[in-house]
Amino acid sequence: KPEIRDNTKFLKGVTGIGKLDIIWRTAMGERGRLQTSQLERMAPGYGDVRLTVEAIPSIVALEEPFSIVLKVLNSCERTMDLMLSFDGHQSGRPLLWEGVSGRQLGKIQPHSSIDVSLRAIPLCTGLQSISGLRLRDTFLQRNYDY
């Protein structure tokens, strides 16, 4: 939804969960109170980089290449230089990625995104999950596996 894509708080997966309010009485009967500011929770797996599928065919032919368009979102406050690679340990996985592993995606400005087109070959029939992708932040040397 456009209204969600424009709000970086939603893109980071941050949810307001309320305030913590502690009230007590001392031994002399005086009241005490402690209240926090609004507490927020970040959904697991979002972190600094978010990867979403933008376009994928609903039906593909076995052992025939098909295209996938992914959106890579930089949700942190600094420019990121990312590299895309494919997991080398793919035995038993239903998809074989086509192309060069270790491809530089370039610099992505804070709170902006780029679209990446990939090709894959299905090796098994049935409903499959997309896996075996790794984004590497070349500055912090941090990996994000999808």
Side-chain angles (χ1 to χ4, degrees):
K1 294 181 179 179
E3 62 272 10
I4 292 176
R5 287 187 183 202
D6 294 338
N7 189 337
T8 56
K9 205 172 198 184
F10 284 123
L11 292 175
K12 286 184 175 182
V14 176
T15 306
I17 58 174
K19 296 180 180 181
L20 178 63
D21 193 11
I22 302 171
I23 302 172
W24 68 89
R25 290 203 181 265
T26 65
M28 300 295 290
E30 298 169 346
R31 287 180 47 141
R33 183 176 187 183
L34 174 67
Q35 186 178 47
T36 67
S37 59
Q38 183 72 20
L39 300 174
E40 295 179 338
R41 174 187 175 274
M42 180 180 279
Y46 279 13
D48 293 337
V49 179
R50 187 168 178 189
L51 185 75
T52 56
V53 176
E54 291 296 304
I56 189 168
S58 59
I59 298 174
V60 296
L62 188 63
E63 297 180 359
E64 293 290 324
F66 67 97
S67 295
I68 302 172
V69 178
L70 303 173
K71 183 178 285 290
V72 179
L73 172 71
N74 175 4
S75 58
C76 71
E77 301 298 326
R78 64 179 176 81
T79 300
M80 296 185 82
D81 191 12
L82 297 175
M83 181 174 65
L84 174 69
S85 59
F86 307 120
D87 188 359
H89 307 288
Q90 286 198 349
S91 60
R93 293 234 172 114
L95 288 177
L96 179 64
W97 293 104
E98 186 179 279
V100 178
S101 185
R103 180 172 112 183
Q104 289 287 346
L105 298 180
K107 295 190 185 308
I108 305 174
Q109 298 301 317
H111 306 292
S112 64
S113 63
I114 60 168
D115 288 341
V116 178
S117 293
L118 297 176
R119 290 178 57 82
I121 302 170
L123 302 176
C124 301
T125 59
L127 184 63
Q128 307 296 338
S129 63
I130 297 173
S131 62
L133 295 174
R134 173 175 286 166
L135 291 172
R136 182 168 180 80
D137 180 358
T138 57
F139 180 71
L140 293 179
Q141 303 298 312
R142 186 178 295 163
N143 292 327
Y144 302 92
D145 293 315
Y146 301 95

Tab-separated table of all heavy atoms in Angstrom, residues 64-125:
chain	number	residue	atom	x	y	z
A	64	GLU	N	12.746	-24.769	-16.412
A	64	GLU	CA	12.739	-23.634	-17.333
A	64	GLU	C	12.974	-22.362	-16.513
A	64	GLU	O	12.280	-22.137	-15.523
A	64	GLU	CB	11.395	-23.526	-18.065
A	64	GLU	CG	11.119	-24.651	-19.025
A	64	GLU	CD	12.015	-24.614	-20.254
A	64	GLU	OE1	12.342	-23.497	-20.728
A	64	GLU	OE2	12.408	-25.690	-20.721
A	65	PRO	N	13.926	-21.498	-16.926
A	65	PRO	CA	14.194	-20.273	-16.160
A	65	PRO	C	12.983	-19.341	-16.113
A	65	PRO	O	12.206	-19.269	-17.056
A	65	PRO	CB	15.336	-19.608	-16.934
A	65	PRO	CG	15.895	-20.650	-17.820
A	65	PRO	CD	14.806	-21.641	-18.083
A	66	PHE	N	12.832	-18.651	-14.991
A	66	PHE	CA	11.796	-17.638	-14.827
A	66	PHE	C	12.388	-16.451	-14.087
A	66	PHE	O	13.420	-16.568	-13.431
A	66	PHE	CB	10.561	-18.194	-14.099
A	66	PHE	CG	10.808	-18.554	-12.666
A	66	PHE	CD1	10.481	-17.669	-11.656
A	66	PHE	CD2	11.360	-19.779	-12.324
A	66	PHE	CE1	10.705	-17.999	-10.320
A	66	PHE	CE2	11.578	-20.115	-11.002
A	66	PHE	CZ	11.254	-19.218	-10.000
A	67	SER	N	11.738	-15.295	-14.200
A	67	SER	CA	12.248	-14.054	-13.609
A	67	SER	C	11.535	-13.722	-12.305
A	67	SER	O	10.342	-13.965	-12.152
A	67	SER	CB	12.069	-12.891	-14.578
A	67	SER	OG	12.851	-13.098	-15.720
A	68	ILE	N	12.301	-13.146	-11.389
A	68	ILE	CA	11.790	-12.664	-10.098
A	68	ILE	C	12.296	-11.236	-9.939
A	68	ILE	O	13.463	-10.960	-10.197
A	68	ILE	CB	12.314	-13.516	-8.924
A	68	ILE	CG1	11.935	-14.967	-9.081
A	68	ILE	CG2	11.831	-12.966	-7.597
A	68	ILE	CD1	12.585	-15.879	-8.059
A	69	VAL	N	11.421	-10.329	-9.513
A	69	VAL	CA	11.837	-8.962	-9.209
A	69	VAL	C	11.736	-8.783	-7.696
A	69	VAL	O	10.682	-9.005	-7.102
A	69	VAL	CB	10.963	-7.913	-9.935
A	69	VAL	CG1	11.395	-6.504	-9.549
A	69	VAL	CG2	11.046	-8.114	-11.437
A	70	LEU	N	12.859	-8.408	-7.081
A	70	LEU	CA	12.930	-8.196	-5.639
A	70	LEU	C	13.147	-6.722	-5.354
A	70	LEU	O	13.805	-6.018	-6.125
A	70	LEU	CB	14.087	-8.997	-5.038
A	70	LEU	CG	14.081	-10.498	-5.275
A	70	LEU	CD1	15.374	-11.104	-4.772
A	70	LEU	CD2	12.893	-11.132	-4.600
A	71	LYS	N	12.614	-6.246	-4.241
A	71	LYS	CA	12.855	-4.878	-3.790
A	71	LYS	C	13.739	-4.957	-2.549
A	71	LYS	O	13.408	-5.643	-1.586
A	71	LYS	CB	11.553	-4.161	-3.460
A	71	LYS	CG	11.766	-2.699	-3.046
A	71	LYS	CD	10.473	-1.991	-2.770
A	71	LYS	CE	9.735	-1.637	-4.014
A	71	LYS	NZ	10.288	-0.602	-4.843
A	72	VAL	N	14.869	-4.263	-2.601
A	72	VAL	CA	15.799	-4.191	-1.478
A	72	VAL	C	15.651	-2.810	-0.861
A	72	VAL	O	15.893	-1.793	-1.520
A	72	VAL	CB	17.257	-4.413	-1.938
A	72	VAL	CG1	18.208	-4.321	-0.767
A	72	VAL	CG2	17.400	-5.745	-2.652
A	73	LEU	N	15.213	-2.770	0.400
A	73	LEU	CA	14.960	-1.509	1.099
A	73	LEU	C	16.011	-1.296	2.181
A	73	LEU	O	16.240	-2.172	3.018
A	73	LEU	CB	13.572	-1.532	1.744
A	73	LEU	CG	13.258	-0.358	2.669
A	73	LEU	CD1	13.065	0.917	1.871
A	73	LEU	CD2	12.048	-0.657	3.510
A	74	ASN	N	16.645	-0.131	2.154
A	74	ASN	CA	17.570	0.275	3.210
A	74	ASN	C	16.753	1.030	4.246
A	74	ASN	O	16.354	2.168	4.023
A	74	ASN	CB	18.670	1.166	2.618
A	74	ASN	CG	19.597	1.716	3.681
A	74	ASN	OD1	19.492	1.396	4.857
A	74	ASN	ND2	20.522	2.563	3.264
A	75	SER	N	16.485	0.411	5.389
A	75	SER	CA	15.653	1.040	6.412
A	75	SER	C	16.470	1.645	7.545
A	75	SER	O	15.913	2.031	8.563
A	75	SER	CB	14.649	0.025	6.973
A	75	SER	OG	15.329	-1.082	7.505
A	76	CYS	N	17.796	1.749	7.378
A	76	CYS	CA	18.609	2.350	8.439
A	76	CYS	C	18.929	3.802	8.082
A	76	CYS	O	18.513	4.313	7.047
A	76	CYS	CB	19.870	1.533	8.701
A	76	CYS	SG	21.109	1.622	7.413
A	77	GLU	N	19.680	4.463	8.925
A	77	GLU	CA	19.952	5.893	8.796
A	77	GLU	C	21.238	6.206	8.033
A	77	GLU	O	21.645	7.353	7.974
A	77	GLU	CB	20.031	6.528	10.196
A	77	GLU	CG	18.781	6.374	11.017
A	77	GLU	CD	17.577	7.050	10.395
A	77	GLU	OE1	17.733	8.104	9.743
A	77	GLU	OE2	16.464	6.506	10.544
A	78	ARG	N	21.890	5.216	7.455
A	78	ARG	CA	23.140	5.455	6.719
A	78	ARG	C	23.051	4.838	5.332
A	78	ARG	O	22.242	3.955	5.084
A	78	ARG	CB	24.327	4.867	7.482
A	78	ARG	CG	24.270	3.376	7.623
A	78	ARG	CD	25.478	2.808	8.364
A	78	ARG	NE	25.322	1.384	8.547
A	78	ARG	CZ	25.575	0.473	7.635
A	78	ARG	NH1	26.029	0.837	6.457
A	78	ARG	NH2	25.391	-0.806	7.871
A	79	THR	N	23.881	5.318	4.427
A	79	THR	CA	23.950	4.747	3.087
A	79	THR	C	24.597	3.376	3.170
A	79	THR	O	25.598	3.191	3.873
A	79	THR	CB	24.780	5.668	2.163
A	79	THR	OG1	24.151	6.943	2.115
A	79	THR	CG2	24.871	5.103	0.771
A	80	MET	N	24.013	2.409	2.495
A	80	MET	CA	24.543	1.042	2.518
A	80	MET	C	25.069	0.661	1.143
A	80	MET	O	24.473	1.012	0.127
A	80	MET	CB	23.463	0.051	2.948
A	80	MET	CG	22.981	0.268	4.353
A	80	MET	SD	21.823	-0.995	4.874
A	80	MET	CE	22.970	-2.267	5.353
A	81	ASP	N	26.190	-0.052	1.129
A	81	ASP	CA	26.759	-0.605	-0.094
A	81	ASP	C	26.582	-2.113	0.012
A	81	ASP	O	27.212	-2.761	0.851
A	81	ASP	CB	28.231	-0.219	-0.209
A	81	ASP	CG	28.797	-0.524	-1.576
A	81	ASP	OD1	28.016	-0.817	-2.501
A	81	ASP	OD2	30.029	-0.467	-1.731
A	82	LEU	N	25.716	-2.672	-0.826
A	82	LEU	CA	25.335	-4.073	-0.687
A	82	LEU	C	25.848	-4.928	-1.834
A	82	LEU	O	25.989	-4.473	-2.964
A	82	LEU	CB	23.806	-4.201	-0.618
A	82	LEU	CG	23.131	-3.546	0.571
A	82	LEU	CD1	21.622	-3.640	0.434
A	82	LEU	CD2	23.588	-4.176	1.868
A	83	MET	N	26.097	-6.192	-1.506
A	83	MET	CA	26.500	-7.191	-2.482
A	83	MET	C	25.536	-8.370	-2.364
A	83	MET	O	25.224	-8.827	-1.261
A	83	MET	CB	27.930	-7.657	-2.202
A	83	MET	CG	28.436	-8.685	-3.181
A	83	MET	SD	30.174	-9.089	-2.949
A	83	MET	CE	30.140	-9.854	-1.345
A	84	LEU	N	25.042	-8.863	-3.502
A	84	LEU	CA	24.114	-9.991	-3.545
A	84	LEU	C	24.865	-11.251	-3.934
A	84	LEU	O	25.609	-11.266	-4.911
A	84	LEU	CB	23.009	-9.725	-4.572
A	84	LEU	CG	22.041	-10.875	-4.845
A	84	LEU	CD1	21.155	-11.120	-3.631
A	84	LEU	CD2	21.196	-10.589	-6.065
A	85	SER	N	24.685	-12.303	-3.155
A	85	SER	CA	25.291	-13.595	-3.500
A	85	SER	C	24.273	-14.701	-3.274
A	85	SER	O	23.273	-14.517	-2.590
A	85	SER	CB	26.558	-13.842	-2.673
A	85	SER	OG	26.272	-13.837	-1.300
A	86	PHE	N	24.547	-15.844	-3.883
A	86	PHE	CA	23.682	-17.006	-3.772
A	86	PHE	C	24.340	-18.011	-2.837
A	86	PHE	O	25.553	-18.191	-2.856
A	86	PHE	CB	23.454	-17.637	-5.147
A	86	PHE	CG	22.959	-16.662	-6.168
A	86	PHE	CD1	23.673	-16.413	-7.322
A	86	PHE	CD2	21.769	-15.978	-5.979
A	86	PHE	CE1	23.220	-15.501	-8.264
A	86	PHE	CE2	21.307	-15.068	-6.912
A	86	PHE	CZ	22.038	-14.828	-8.056
A	87	ASP	N	23.536	-18.670	-2.031
A	87	ASP	CA	24.033	-19.665	-1.088
A	87	ASP	C	24.651	-20.818	-1.863
A	87	ASP	O	24.012	-21.418	-2.717
A	87	ASP	CB	22.888	-20.159	-0.216
A	87	ASP	CG	23.357	-21.050	0.910
A	87	ASP	OD1	24.571	-21.314	1.007
A	87	ASP	OD2	22.511	-21.477	1.705
A	88	GLY	N	25.912	-21.117	-1.571
A	88	GLY	CA	26.619	-22.172	-2.288
A	88	GLY	C	26.224	-23.571	-1.859
A	88	GLY	O	26.523	-24.537	-2.542
A	89	HIS	N	25.545	-23.717	-0.746
A	89	HIS	CA	25.159	-25.033	-0.231
A	89	HIS	C	23.693	-25.274	-0.542
A	89	HIS	O	22.854	-25.298	0.340
A	89	HIS	CB	25.413	-25.113	1.281
A	89	HIS	CG	26.798	-24.731	1.647
A	89	HIS	ND1	27.878	-25.526	1.377
A	89	HIS	CD2	27.285	-23.619	2.233
A	89	HIS	CE1	28.974	-24.927	1.802
A	89	HIS	NE2	28.632	-23.767	2.323
A	90	GLN	N	23.390	-25.480	-1.810
A	90	GLN	CA	21.993	-25.572	-2.216
A	90	GLN	C	21.535	-26.987	-2.519
A	90	GLN	O	20.497	-27.171	-3.130
A	90	GLN	CB	21.749	-24.697	-3.438
A	90	GLN	CG	21.725	-23.237	-3.110
A	90	GLN	CD	21.056	-22.450	-4.212
A	90	GLN	OE1	20.792	-22.943	-5.277
A	90	GLN	NE2	20.760	-21.204	-3.932
A	91	SER	N	22.265	-27.998	-2.125
A	91	SER	CA	21.798	-29.355	-2.415
A	91	SER	C	20.466	-29.598	-1.708
A	91	SER	O	20.296	-29.276	-0.548
A	91	SER	CB	22.842	-30.378	-1.955
A	91	SER	OG	23.056	-30.254	-0.575
A	92	GLY	N	19.514	-30.132	-2.446
A	92	GLY	CA	18.203	-30.405	-1.888
A	92	GLY	C	17.258	-29.223	-1.942
A	92	GLY	O	16.106	-29.328	-1.556
A	93	ARG	N	17.721	-28.066	-2.401
A	93	ARG	CA	16.852	-26.894	-2.492
A	93	ARG	C	16.073	-26.951	-3.803
A	93	ARG	O	16.562	-27.438	-4.814
A	93	ARG	CB	17.678	-25.608	-2.422
A	93	ARG	CG	18.317	-25.435	-1.056
A	93	ARG	CD	17.951	-24.086	-0.483
A	93	ARG	NE	18.400	-23.992	0.890
A	93	ARG	CZ	19.335	-23.160	1.298
A	93	ARG	NH1	19.915	-22.349	0.469
A	93	ARG	NH2	19.669	-23.132	2.561
A	94	PRO	N	14.866	-26.413	-3.817
A	94	PRO	CA	14.006	-26.529	-4.998
A	94	PRO	C	14.333	-25.556	-6.128
A	94	PRO	O	13.825	-25.704	-7.226
A	94	PRO	CB	12.616	-26.243	-4.442
A	94	PRO	CG	12.863	-25.383	-3.253
A	94	PRO	CD	14.170	-25.836	-2.685
A	95	LEU	N	15.177	-24.525	-5.870
A	95	LEU	CA	15.505	-23.537	-6.887
A	95	LEU	C	17.003	-23.476	-7.127
A	95	LEU	O	17.792	-23.558	-6.183
A	95	LEU	CB	15.042	-22.132	-6.468
A	95	LEU	CG	13.568	-21.824	-6.481
A	95	LEU	CD1	13.341	-20.413	-5.967
A	95	LEU	CD2	12.989	-21.976	-7.864
A	96	LEU	N	17.371	-23.275	-8.389
A	96	LEU	CA	18.764	-23.050	-8.768
A	96	LEU	C	18.846	-21.630	-9.297
A	96	LEU	O	18.137	-21.277	-10.251
A	96	LEU	CB	19.192	-24.053	-9.844
A	96	LEU	CG	20.610	-23.922	-10.367
A	96	LEU	CD1	21.604	-24.204	-9.242
A	96	LEU	CD2	20.827	-24.886	-11.511
A	97	TRP	N	19.658	-20.793	-8.663
A	97	TRP	CA	19.777	-19.396	-9.078
A	97	TRP	C	20.671	-19.301	-10.297
A	97	TRP	O	21.683	-19.975	-10.389
A	97	TRP	CB	20.313	-18.533	-7.942
A	97	TRP	CG	19.343	-18.440	-6.822
A	97	TRP	CD1	19.413	-19.086	-5.622
A	97	TRP	CD2	18.135	-17.696	-6.804
A	97	TRP	NE1	18.332	-18.784	-4.863
A	97	TRP	CE2	17.528	-17.924	-5.558
A	97	TRP	CE3	17.504	-16.847	-7.700
A	97	TRP	CZ2	16.318	-17.341	-5.202
A	97	TRP	CZ3	16.308	-16.269	-7.352
A	97	TRP	CH2	15.736	-16.513	-6.111
A	98	GLU	N	20.287	-18.415	-11.230
A	98	GLU	CA	21.026	-18.223	-12.465
A	98	GLU	C	21.708	-16.861	-12.414
A	98	GLU	O	21.081	-15.862	-12.074
A	98	GLU	CB	20.041	-18.276	-13.640
A	98	GLU	CG	20.669	-18.233	-14.993
A	98	GLU	CD	19.609	-18.309	-16.072
A	98	GLU	OE1	19.148	-19.428	-16.370
A	98	GLU	OE2	19.233	-17.244	-16.601
A	99	GLY	N	23.000	-16.809	-12.750
A	99	GLY	CA	23.709	-15.533	-12.770
A	99	GLY	C	24.960	-15.574	-11.925
A	99	GLY	O	25.373	-16.619	-11.412
A	100	VAL	N	25.575	-14.405	-11.784
A	100	VAL	CA	26.842	-14.277	-11.074
A	100	VAL	C	26.580	-14.033	-9.595
A	100	VAL	O	25.843	-13.111	-9.230
A	100	VAL	CB	27.668	-13.117	-11.666
A	100	VAL	CG1	28.973	-12.940	-10.896
A	100	VAL	CG2	27.938	-13.349	-13.135
A	101	SER	N	27.196	-14.861	-8.754
A	101	SER	CA	27.108	-14.664	-7.316
A	101	SER	C	28.171	-13.645	-6.906
A	101	SER	O	29.274	-13.634	-7.444
A	101	SER	CB	27.339	-15.991	-6.592
A	101	SER	OG	27.157	-15.842	-5.215
A	102	GLY	N	27.836	-12.783	-5.974
A	102	GLY	CA	28.772	-11.745	-5.548
A	102	GLY	C	28.605	-10.461	-6.342
A	102	GLY	O	29.544	-9.694	-6.496
A	103	ARG	N	27.412	-10.207	-6.828
A	103	ARG	CA	27.105	-9.028	-7.642
A	103	ARG	C	26.917	-7.807	-6.749
A	103	ARG	O	26.153	-7.838	-5.781
A	103	ARG	CB	25.839	-9.323	-8.433
A	103	ARG	CG	25.387	-8.208	-9.331
A	103	ARG	CD	24.259	-8.704	-10.180
A	103	ARG	NE	23.028	-8.037	-9.803
A	103	ARG	CZ	21.857	-8.292	-10.333
A	103	ARG	NH1	21.722	-9.237	-11.237
A	103	ARG	NH2	20.800	-7.636	-9.956
A	104	GLN	N	27.612	-6.726	-7.065
A	104	GLN	CA	27.472	-5.474	-6.335
A	104	GLN	C	26.159	-4.804	-6.729
A	104	GLN	O	25.868	-4.659	-7.913
A	104	GLN	CB	28.630	-4.520	-6.647
A	104	GLN	CG	29.943	-4.947	-6.065
A	104	GLN	CD	30.019	-4.747	-4.564
A	104	GLN	OE1	29.197	-4.060	-3.958
A	104	GLN	NE2	30.998	-5.357	-3.945
A	105	LEU	N	25.362	-4.432	-5.753
A	105	LEU	CA	24.107	-3.727	-6.015
A	105	LEU	C	24.294	-2.219	-5.990
A	105	LEU	O	23.423	-1.483	-6.424
A	105	LEU	CB	23.039	-4.133	-4.996
A	105	LEU	CG	22.646	-5.601	-4.996
A	105	LEU	CD1	21.583	-5.856	-3.949
A	105	LEU	CD2	22.179	-6.048	-6.368
A	106	GLY	N	25.416	-1.776	-5.454
A	106	GLY	CA	25.694	-0.343	-5.386
A	106	GLY	C	25.220	0.258	-4.083
A	106	GLY	O	24.763	-0.427	-3.178
A	107	LYS	N	25.339	1.564	-4.010
A	107	LYS	CA	24.970	2.286	-2.794
A	107	LYS	C	23.467	2.561	-2.785
A	107	LYS	O	22.898	2.975	-3.787
A	107	LYS	CB	25.749	3.592	-2.700
A	107	LYS	CG	27.248	3.373	-2.553
A	107	LYS	CD	27.937	4.658	-2.219
A	107	LYS	CE	29.440	4.517	-2.180
A	107	LYS	NZ	29.950	3.463	-1.370
A	108	ILE	N	22.852	2.317	-1.635
A	108	ILE	CA	21.423	2.577	-1.446
A	108	ILE	C	21.297	3.612	-0.332
A	108	ILE	O	21.768	3.395	0.788
A	108	ILE	CB	20.655	1.293	-1.081
A	108	ILE	CG1	20.892	0.213	-2.131
A	108	ILE	CG2	19.173	1.580	-0.927
A	108	ILE	CD1	20.300	-1.125	-1.772
A	109	GLN	N	20.674	4.729	-0.652
A	109	GLN	CA	20.516	5.827	0.297
A	109	GLN	C	19.582	5.419	1.439
A	109	GLN	O	18.766	4.507	1.280
A	109	GLN	CB	19.958	7.066	-0.412
A	109	GLN	CG	20.866	7.607	-1.498
A	109	GLN	CD	22.234	7.993	-0.979
A	109	GLN	OE1	22.356	8.605	0.087
A	109	GLN	NE2	23.270	7.625	-1.706
A	110	PRO	N	19.661	6.099	2.596
A	110	PRO	CA	18.764	5.781	3.721
A	110	PRO	C	17.296	5.893	3.323
A	110	PRO	O	16.906	6.817	2.608
A	110	PRO	CB	19.129	6.829	4.775
A	110	PRO	CG	20.506	7.274	4.424
A	110	PRO	CD	20.614	7.154	2.936
A	111	HIS	N	16.506	4.928	3.742
A	111	HIS	CA	15.057	4.881	3.537
A	111	HIS	C	14.674	4.903	2.054
A	111	HIS	O	13.624	5.423	1.700
A	111	HIS	CB	14.350	6.003	4.299
A	111	HIS	CG	14.698	6.021	5.748
A	111	HIS	ND1	14.313	5.032	6.616
A	111	HIS	CD2	15.449	6.889	6.469
A	111	HIS	CE1	14.788	5.303	7.814
A	111	HIS	NE2	15.480	6.415	7.756
A	112	SER	N	15.530	4.342	1.221
A	112	SER	CA	15.196	4.215	-0.199
A	112	SER	C	15.407	2.758	-0.603
A	112	SER	O	15.921	1.951	0.161
A	112	SER	CB	16.025	5.164	-1.057
A	112	SER	OG	17.390	4.828	-0.971
A	113	SER	N	14.997	2.451	-1.828
A	113	SER	CA	15.053	1.058	-2.263
A	113	SER	C	15.476	0.963	-3.718
A	113	SER	O	15.448	1.955	-4.449
A	113	SER	CB	13.694	0.393	-2.069
A	113	SER	OG	12.734	1.041	-2.879
A	114	ILE	N	15.860	-0.251	-4.106
A	114	ILE	CA	16.164	-0.541	-5.503
A	114	ILE	C	15.469	-1.849	-5.859
A	114	ILE	O	15.204	-2.679	-4.993
A	114	ILE	CB	17.679	-0.652	-5.775
A	114	ILE	CG1	18.306	-1.783	-4.943
A	114	ILE	CG2	18.385	0.662	-5.538
A	114	ILE	CD1	19.712	-2.137	-5.359
A	115	ASP	N	15.165	-2.004	-7.132
A	115	ASP	CA	14.603	-3.254	-7.633
A	115	ASP	C	15.721	-4.073	-8.261
A	115	ASP	O	16.566	-3.526	-8.979
A	115	ASP	CB	13.504	-2.990	-8.655
A	115	ASP	CG	12.235	-2.446	-8.026
A	115	ASP	OD1	12.071	-2.610	-6.803
A	115	ASP	OD2	11.419	-1.874	-8.754
A	116	VAL	N	15.717	-5.368	-7.989
A	116	VAL	CA	16.724	-6.287	-8.512
A	116	VAL	C	16.005	-7.402	-9.252
A	116	VAL	O	15.107	-8.032	-8.694
A	116	VAL	CB	17.576	-6.884	-7.360
A	116	VAL	CG1	18.581	-7.867	-7.889
A	116	VAL	CG2	18.250	-5.785	-6.566
A	117	SER	N	16.393	-7.633	-10.501
A	117	SER	CA	15.809	-8.719	-11.292
A	117	SER	C	16.738	-9.926	-11.239
A	117	SER	O	17.943	-9.799	-11.467
A	117	SER	CB	15.632	-8.281	-12.744
A	117	SER	OG	14.673	-7.276	-12.831
A	118	LEU	N	16.168	-11.077	-10.941
A	118	LEU	CA	16.927	-12.325	-10.875
A	118	LEU	C	16.220	-13.384	-11.706
A	118	LEU	O	15.026	-13.275	-11.980
A	118	LEU	CB	17.037	-12.816	-9.426
A	118	LEU	CG	17.786	-11.925	-8.449
A	118	LEU	CD1	17.706	-12.512	-7.054
A	118	LEU	CD2	19.232	-11.772	-8.862
A	119	ARG	N	16.978	-14.414	-12.041
A	119	ARG	CA	16.397	-15.558	-12.744
A	119	ARG	C	16.713	-16.812	-11.950
A	119	ARG	O	17.785	-16.940	-11.371
A	119	ARG	CB	16.938	-15.654	-14.163
A	119	ARG	CG	16.404	-14.528	-15.040
A	119	ARG	CD	16.941	-14.526	-16.441
A	119	ARG	NE	16.735	-15.737	-17.204
A	119	ARG	CZ	15.614	-16.061	-17.851
A	119	ARG	NH1	14.578	-15.259	-17.794
A	119	ARG	NH2	15.526	-17.167	-18.551
A	120	ALA	N	15.748	-17.716	-11.930
A	120	ALA	CA	15.914	-18.978	-11.214
A	120	ALA	C	15.327	-20.103	-12.049
A	120	ALA	O	14.493	-19.879	-12.923
A	120	ALA	CB	15.230	-18.910	-9.850
A	121	ILE	N	15.794	-21.312	-11.748
A	121	ILE	CA	15.307	-22.503	-12.433
A	121	ILE	C	14.717	-23.431	-11.378
A	121	ILE	O	15.418	-23.826	-10.441
A	121	ILE	CB	16.443	-23.211	-13.193
A	121	ILE	CG1	17.073	-22.256	-14.205
A	121	ILE	CG2	15.941	-24.482	-13.867
A	121	ILE	CD1	18.349	-22.769	-14.821
A	122	PRO	N	13.416	-23.794	-11.495
A	122	PRO	CA	12.818	-24.725	-10.532
A	122	PRO	C	13.276	-26.154	-10.812
A	122	PRO	O	13.270	-26.605	-11.947
A	122	PRO	CB	11.318	-24.554	-10.765
A	122	PRO	CG	11.196	-24.067	-12.166
A	122	PRO	CD	12.436	-23.300	-12.466
A	123	LEU	N	13.676	-26.845	-9.744
A	123	LEU	CA	14.165	-28.218	-9.874
A	123	LEU	C	13.178	-29.251	-9.348
A	123	LEU	O	13.350	-30.435	-9.590
A	123	LEU	CB	15.500	-28.374	-9.141
A	123	LEU	CG	16.622	-27.449	-9.603
A	123	LEU	CD1	17.843	-27.631	-8.732
A	123	LEU	CD2	16.949	-27.693	-11.069
A	124	CYS	N	12.156	-28.793	-8.614
A	124	CYS	CA	11.160	-29.692	-8.028
A	124	CYS	C	9.762	-29.176	-8.353
A	124	CYS	O	9.556	-27.980	-8.513
A	124	CYS	CB	11.315	-29.761	-6.506
A	124	CYS	SG	12.908	-30.333	-5.953
A	125	THR	N	8.816	-30.086	-8.411
A	125	THR	CA	7.436	-29.692	-8.627
A	125	THR	C	6.793	-29.306	-7.300
A	125	THR	O	7.299	-29.631	-6.232
A	125	THR	CB	6.628	-30.832	-9.275
A	125	THR	OG1	6.681	-31.962	-8.407
A	125	THR	CG2	7.187	-31.185	-10.637
